Amino acid sequence: MSATQPRRAVITGGAGFVGSRLATRMYERGWHVVVVDNLCTGDLRNLEALQGKPGFEVIEANVSDGIPVDGPVHDVMHFASPASPPDYLERPIETLRVGSEGTMHALKLAQAHGARFLVASTSEIYGDPLEHPQRESYWGNVNSIGPRSVYDEAKRFSEAATMAWHRHHGVDTRIIRIFNTYGPGMQTDDGRVVPNFICQALRGEALTVYGDGSQTRAFCYVDDLVEGILAVLERGDAEPFNLGSPGEFTIGQFAELVREVVGGPAVTYHPLPTDDPKRRQPDITRAKTELGWAPQVSLREGLVPTVAYFRERLGL
Ligand code: UDP
């Protein structure tokens, strides 16, 4: 990257949890950054440190309708979408639109500028996986008519569109499949297990375990994820990369860990959401061997800044 002419990145969903952390890191690393976000689940407070800086802009727009960016574009990072199950279940049509129309607008922007393109896909494309841990070669087990399909199928479509633009139009594309990620920047009312348990513990409320707590997830600290995203952008290729932490926990174990770190009363049990995946753990061999990337922050370590962030957001 030349000192006189920085690369300019468009980050859709750049006010969201992962997008804003990525925007901050890319700006620190010398990119000019244009965030495009309709703030439906994003929050401009996540971008406070960047506001007013030269080479940083926010455009409030719905990328499903188009991406109104003028000037040079070198990298298009497509992160716009509700990502928490309660958020996408509340916004089924918007979620389908941003994964389909939004992705195609983002691909067309990259095509028009000869820019690199990276799409934030998800471990949800594996559905309730029959292969464990999940490798990139696994095709998945998604219920196409279940309530979660608005997210899963939208992301599967976004991968298909990305490969079509790559094969048919020669766009330099990347696909990352993000597994459960946590850290500062999540919304307190986001509804996912990490904000729920931490906010419940901080408020002295019982932790709401869905099902019997035996389902598993592997949690990656957001700064580790962002380093992985940049590694894929700079050194990856068009085939998908899993990005996440291989450390698998049951939800019951995770509740115990939050109670150890924060304190708080015991757990209460609630019905398991429809089609909730029973086990999820990334196989990150490809990112490790081809990019030299692996998460560095343990769940216990990452919970410390995350709890401090939620404490502040809750005004406690
Ligand atoms: N979960 C839970 N209590 C909550 C929120 C979520 O037990 O208050 C469970 C949920 O059923 C799932 C896991 O935690 O098995 C992770 O859910 P999350 O919504 O964080 O993300 P997902 O991995 O399902 O997309």
Side-chain angles (χ1 to χ4, degrees):
M1 196 177 302
S2 99
T4 46
Q5 279 202 320
R7 290 182 74 91
R8 190 159 177 259
V10 171
I11 307 182
T12 76
F17 162 49
V18 175
S20 61
R21 213 67 183 183
L22 178 66
T24 305
R25 189 74 189 114
M26 289 182 83
Y27 189 83
E28 285 167 3
R29 292 214 9 209
W31 268 270
H32 281 182
V33 171
V34 184
V35 162
V36 186
D37 201 303
N38 70 349
L39 304 179
C40 86
T41 54
D43 190 331
L44 288 177
R45 285 179 295 179
N46 290 337
L47 296 167
E48 257 161 20
L50 294 177
Q51 294 284 9
K53 295 212 164 166
F56 176 75
E57 295 162 62
V58 177
I59 296 172
E60 255 185 72
N62 184 349
V63 302
S64 300
D65 298 327
I67 304 182
V69 172
D70 298 322
V73 177
H74 303 97
D75 294 295
V76 177
M77 316 292 282
H78 183 41
F79 281 71
S81 177
S84 151
D87 283 341
Y88 60 69
L89 294 174
E90 245 172 59
R91 300 171 178 81
I93 313 297
E94 290 99 311
T95 303
L96 284 164
R97 283 195 68 212
V98 76
S100 54
E101 293 170 79
T103 301
M104 291 193 290
H105 286 306
L107 281 160
K108 285 178 195 165
L109 181 70
Q111 184 187 354
H113 289 271
R116 287 186 298 200
F117 174 87
L118 181 146
V119 65
S121 184
T122 166
S123 56
E124 283 278 330
I125 66 106
Y126 299 121
D128 191 2
L130 303 177
E131 177 179 306
H132 190 83
Q134 294 80 52
R135 280 174 301 179
E136 290 89 348
S137 54
Y138 179 49
W139 288 0
N141 179 38
V142 170
N143 174 2
S144 63
I145 56 166
R148 290 175 92 103
S149 68
V150 296
Y151 185 64
D152 302 6
E153 297 291 6
K155 290 290 188 181
R156 290 176 71 92
F157 178 91
S158 72
E159 291 196 5
T162 300
M163 291 311 291
W165 254 261
H166 175 67
R167 293 190 183 111
H168 192 69
H169 291 303
V171 175
D172 187 12
T173 57
R174 310 278 186 274
I175 296 171
I176 55 165
R177 295 182 179 153
I178 302 175
F179 284 65
N180 295 65
T181 299
Y182 71 97
M186 299 185 101
Q187 301 283 69
T188 52
D189 60 354
D190 154 308
R192 279 179 282 190
V193 70
V194 174
N196 274 10
F197 283 4
I198 294 177
C199 293
Q200 287 159 351
L202 286 170
R203 291 176 174 133
E205 297 165 5
L207 275 51
T208 54
V209 171
Y210 301 162
D212 63 4
S214 64
Q215 71 274 32
T216 70
R217 296 292 187 272
F219 300 99
C220 184
Y221 188 62
V222 64
D223 289 350
D224 277 336
L225 175 76
V226 165
E227 290 311 312
I229 295 169
L230 293 175
V232 173
L233 178 70
E234 293 184 318
R235 305 195 296 281
D237 55 35
E239 297 293 317
F241 281 92
N242 284 341
L243 292 179
S245 165
E248 186 184 10
F249 291 78
T250 69
I251 295 303
Q253 286 170 332
F254 179 58
E256 281 314 307
L257 184 61
V258 170
R259 289 178 66 227
E260 261 175 63
V261 174
V262 190
V267 302
T268 50
Y269 292 93
H270 302 265
L272 195 65
T274 307
D275 294 339
D276 197 277
K278 284 179 271 309
R279 290 189 79 183
R280 182 185 291 156
Q281 181 194 26
D283 182 325
I284 57 165
T285 307
R286 180 163 138 77
K288 261 187 183 161
T289 52
E290 293 182 28
L291 309 172
W293 174 84
Q296 304 298 315
V297 180
S298 72
L299 181 53
R300 192 180 280 274
E301 287 166 343
L303 280 179
V304 175
T306 309
V307 169
Y309 159 82
F310 279 117
R311 200 185 288 281
E312 200 206 310
R313 274 286 156 97
L314 293 173
L316 295 170

